[in-house]
Amino acid sequence: MRCSVADAHHFPTHRDTGLLLYNLRLLPARISPASVAGLAACSSGCVLCTHRWLDMYGFLARTPHRAMMSSRISFFEVEILDCRTKQQLCFLDKVEPHLTVSDVKLMLHKCYPQWYPARQSIRLDPKGRSLKDEEILQDLPVGTTATLYFRDLGPQIGWTMVFLLESTGPLFVYFLFYFRMPFFYGLAKAFTSSPHSVVHLACCCHSFHYIKRLIETIFVHRFSHGTMPLKSIVKNCFYYWGFAAWLAYYINHPLYTPPIYGKMQISLSMVMFLMCETGNFSIHVALSNLRLDGSRSRRFPFPTRNPFTWLFFFVSCPNYTYEVGSWISLTVMTQCFPVGLFTLIGFIQMTIWAREKHYRYIKDFKDYPRLRMSIIPLLL
């Protein structure tokens, strides 16, 4: 088998030469020695003849490069059912495997405009957990024909709006009692002022706390695209606004009496309150700086040069520790039962959140500091 001058313009490229070398390395194992002898028919031993000879025996069609080029992308067929009725909502054909759950939500949104992505919960099982938006379809434990379940989460509100509503309400409600509106304490005490300095100091501390939360919501916190159901925000607002009205009613009541130990008790609790509020703000800034570069990779928080962040050496959620400390200080300052009850309920709820986050850190990070507790150093 010889090549001719007319074949010069059909010479293989360097890429094909690499493929020839790959096949020549496999020749002894794939064909008999008698067949290999046919390759010597070309006296010049040129690459073109080798290329033709390999093609005749079917080697070129089996090279990894050509096999990869001939392979086709396996598209997914996604069926979305209603979690409750199990009825089919839509059938998505030729879905690319690298698409995310967020992309599937957008496709469902096109079919049902009333269900925007934040309102959707996509699951593998009707009673299972909701899939995260960043999860990739081909990484899920499903075949090329996937069955997903949809649940309507109801109307949603963004986290920024949630925090704004939770913080502005108590501010407004507290001032209604502080200025003693006529419909609270009667006309005789309307728009009067308390003679006790602790009442005015408590108003300043309460207002400072919620104004700080508003500032953090606008300038510090970095919220994800998560939302809260509308019914949950109603419940949360009722909790914050209701407690603000209850404790403000007693603190600003005309019959309110100052703390037992007087100025010393008020002064010490005031110093503790300011330290805890400063610490809480410092922790929120440190947490916000974890994703200052815009990265979505998860990292556990660590102490900085700010001394108030050194509590990270001992607890996973020092922002909750400082928050509880602020309300304990206000309880001691006012010596008021509703403030103490609000502090206790808040401590229980924040302990639950802190323990969940603490165990999540331990699970996700093998090098997580073992000395840290959830919310109370060395105890809880």
Side-chain angles (χ1 to χ4, degrees):
M1 180 176 179
R2 299 178 182 275
C3 63
S4 61
V5 178
D7 296 322
H9 65 282
H10 294 297
F11 257 68
T13 61
H14 291 291
R15 184 192 64 185
D16 293 322
T17 304
L19 296 176
L20 298 179
L21 295 176
Y22 175 86
N23 284 280
L24 287 173
R25 183 166 50 85
L26 300 178
L27 282 177
R30 296 178 62 179
I31 61 175
S32 63
S35 300
V36 177
L39 185 58
C42 179
S43 58
S44 61
C46 68
V47 177
L48 180 60
C49 288
T50 308
H51 185 275
R52 287 179 172 175
W53 188 85
L54 289 172
D55 186 53
M56 178 177 65
Y57 278 91
F59 282 94
L60 294 182
R62 298 172 187 173
T63 58
H65 177 76
R66 303 247 178 140
M68 181 176 62
M69 293 296 292
S70 61
S71 63
R72 296 182 178 180
I73 299 176
S74 299
F75 290 99
F76 277 62
E77 294 179 348
V78 180
E79 181 185 28
I80 300 180
L81 307 180
D82 187 276
C83 271
R84 298 177 180 177
T85 63
K86 306 300 185 297
Q87 294 181 352
Q88 186 184 87
L89 298 176
C90 68
F91 184 85
L92 306 176
D93 192 15
K94 293 185 177 181
V95 179
E96 296 182 5
H98 65 271
L99 295 184
T100 61
V101 174
S102 178
D103 298 321
V104 175
K105 289 183 177 181
L106 291 174
M107 295 178 184
L108 181 62
H109 177 51
K110 291 181 179 179
C111 300
Y112 299 91
Q114 71 273 21
W115 293 333
Y116 44 89
R119 189 169 176 165
Q120 301 177 26
S121 172
I122 302 296
R123 312 175 181 193
L124 294 175
D125 185 83
K127 297 182 180 179
R129 68 172 182 87
S130 298
L131 297 175
K132 298 180 179 179
D133 288 347
E134 59 270 17
E135 293 190 64
I136 303 175
L137 193 59
Q138 64 183 359
D139 294 340
L140 299 177
V142 295
T144 54
T145 302
T147 300
L148 302 178
Y149 294 89
F150 160 81
R151 183 177 181 181
D152 181 17
L153 298 177
Q156 303 288 303
I157 297 180
W159 280 108
T160 301
M161 183 58 65
V162 169
F163 274 73
L164 291 176
L165 290 175
E166 289 178 353
S167 301
T168 54
L171 271 175
F172 175 75
V173 170
Y174 195 98
F175 281 124
L176 293 179
F177 291 91
Y178 177 73
F179 292 110
R180 293 181 177 177
M181 303 303 289
F183 40 84
F184 291 129
Y185 305 115
L187 294 177
K189 299 294 182 180
F191 302 109
T192 58
S193 179
S194 174
H196 306 299
S197 60
V198 65
V199 173
H200 308 295
L201 196 58
C203 178
C204 293
C205 291
H206 185 272
S207 302
F208 178 82
H209 174 76
Y210 284 103
I211 290 174
K212 180 186 72 70
R213 287 190 60 175
L214 290 173
I215 293 174
E216 291 174 341
T217 301
I218 299 173
F219 299 106
V220 178
H221 292 317
R222 296 180 181 274
F223 298 104
S224 63
H225 296 293
T227 57
M228 176 181 283
L230 182 60
K231 59 182 180 181
S232 296
I233 187 59
V234 173
K235 178 181 64 177
N236 284 18
C237 286
F238 180 79
Y239 168 76
Y240 283 104
W241 295 24
F243 257 110
W246 190 24
L247 61 89
Y249 175 81
Y250 282 97
I251 294 175
N252 297 283
H253 199 281
L255 300 180
Y256 171 79
T257 55
I260 297 176
Y261 297 101
K263 291 183 178 181
M264 179 180 296
Q265 181 176 343
I266 297 172
S267 300
L268 291 176
S269 57
M270 180 65 185
V271 172
M272 183 179 174
F273 175 84
L274 292 176
M275 290 182 62
C276 290
E277 288 293 300
T278 305
N280 182 263
F281 180 80
S282 301
I283 297 299
H284 287 159
V285 171
L287 293 174
S288 178
N289 290 338
L290 284 177
R291 295 185 178 182
L292 193 61
D293 56 353
S295 174
R296 300 195 65 178
S297 59
R298 295 190 68 239
R299 294 176 291 177
F300 62 84
F302 48 87
T304 65
R305 294 181 179 179
N306 185 347
F308 288 101
T309 65
W310 295 351
L311 198 55
F312 271 125
F313 284 119
F314 306 102
V315 293
S316 297
C317 303
N319 52 323
Y320 295 148
T321 308
Y322 283 125
E323 179 89 6
V324 174
S326 296
W327 285 104
I328 291 177
S329 304
L330 197 60
T331 302
V332 175
M333 179 189 298
T334 59
Q335 204 169 292
C336 188
F337 173 75
V339 184
L341 182 60
F342 180 75
T343 303
L344 178 62
I345 296 175
F347 171 70
I348 294 174
Q349 181 61 68
M350 284 185 276
T351 300
I352 295 173
W353 291 337
R355 289 176 66 87
E356 290 176 354
K357 187 174 291 186
H358 177 72
Y359 290 127
R360 197 181 310 126
Y361 283 147
I362 295 177
K363 180 180 178 181
D364 295 345
F365 303 103
K366 295 182 180 179
D367 57 340
Y368 192 72
R370 298 298 175 182
L371 182 62
R372 293 188 185 182
M373 303 300 288
S374 300
I375 188 171
I376 300 179
L378 306 177
L379 292 178
L380 182 62

